[in-house]
Amino acid sequence: MSGNDSNTKLLLHLNGTDASTTFTDVSFAAHGNATAGGNAQVDTAQSVFGGASLLLDGTGDYLSYADHADWGFGSGDFTIDFRARWNGSVTLANFTGQWGGLTDLGWLLQWQSNLLIFYWTTDGTVGTVGTVFDAWTPSANTWYHVTVARDGNTVRGF
């Protein structure tokens, strides 16, 4: 698979039968199946690759995996990469994150009020550091390629 190597810690193709709630990690790390919350499901009406995608309707839907050392970026380089599409008006979208509580390091990639924001804590306290990228106003019914990457001490959003 292109792009899947030992540095890939989670790879979800999000394909399958319409309305399925099975989401399998196909990375070399093989973290198994995600737990689908709310009514998160496979949708074959919309896709960029493979004929399906993950459908989240904005009312408490999510995918989750058990806590794992692979989710902690520490001080190393990383890339978060995915496609997103809005069906209508949205004011907040938590795309992905890892937050284990006040004693753990954590991070969150969020779109809020037309801004893509990457939050993280460096010392496990409530106080967070955030990187705000350029204003972004997504249009409904349009697929977007979203990437956040850290190289050394620089975090960039694309």
Side-chain angles (χ1 to χ4, degrees), residues 80-82 116 133 136 145-150 155-158:
I80 301 168
D81 186 78
F82 60 94
L116 183 63
F133 304 109
W136 170 40
H145 185 181
V146 179
T147 302
V148 172
R150 180 172 64 198
V155 178
R156 294 181 179 92
F158 307 93

Side-chain angles (χ1 to χ4, degrees), residues 6-69:
S6 62
N7 292 316
T8 303
K9 303 304 180 188
L10 182 67
L11 180 60
L12 302 176
H13 286 193
L14 305 171
N15 289 326
T17 306
D18 197 41
S20 169
T21 57
T22 301
F23 304 97
T24 304
D25 175 18
V26 295
S27 73
F28 285 103
H31 291 285
N33 290 330
T35 298
N39 60 352
Q41 61 186 283
V42 171
D43 179 37
T44 57
Q46 299 294 327
S47 71
V48 175
F49 308 107
S53 61
L54 170 64
L55 174 63
L56 307 171
D57 65 14
T59 57
D61 303 341
Y62 62 90
L63 297 182
S64 84
Y65 277 89
D67 191 20
H68 194 281

Side-chain angles (χ1 to χ4, degrees), residues 85-154:
R85 179 182 183 274
W86 282 259
N87 288 335
S89 177
V90 176
T91 57
L92 175 68
N94 291 321
F95 290 124
T96 185
Q98 162 68 22
W99 209 271
L102 298 181
T103 60
D104 296 330
L105 302 182
W107 54 273
L108 173 67
L109 178 58
Q110 179 183 78
W111 180 84
Q112 178 179 326
S113 302
N114 298 329
L115 295 172
L116 183 63
I117 307 169
F118 184 73
Y119 294 102
W120 71 94
T121 178
T122 56
D123 61 5
T125 66
V126 174
T128 58
V129 177
T131 297
V132 178
F133 304 109
D134 290 337
W136 170 40
T137 306
S139 299
N141 304 313
T142 302
W143 282 100
Y144 293 93
H145 185 181
V146 179
T147 302
V148 172
R150 180 172 64 198
D151 180 16
N153 292 323
T154 304

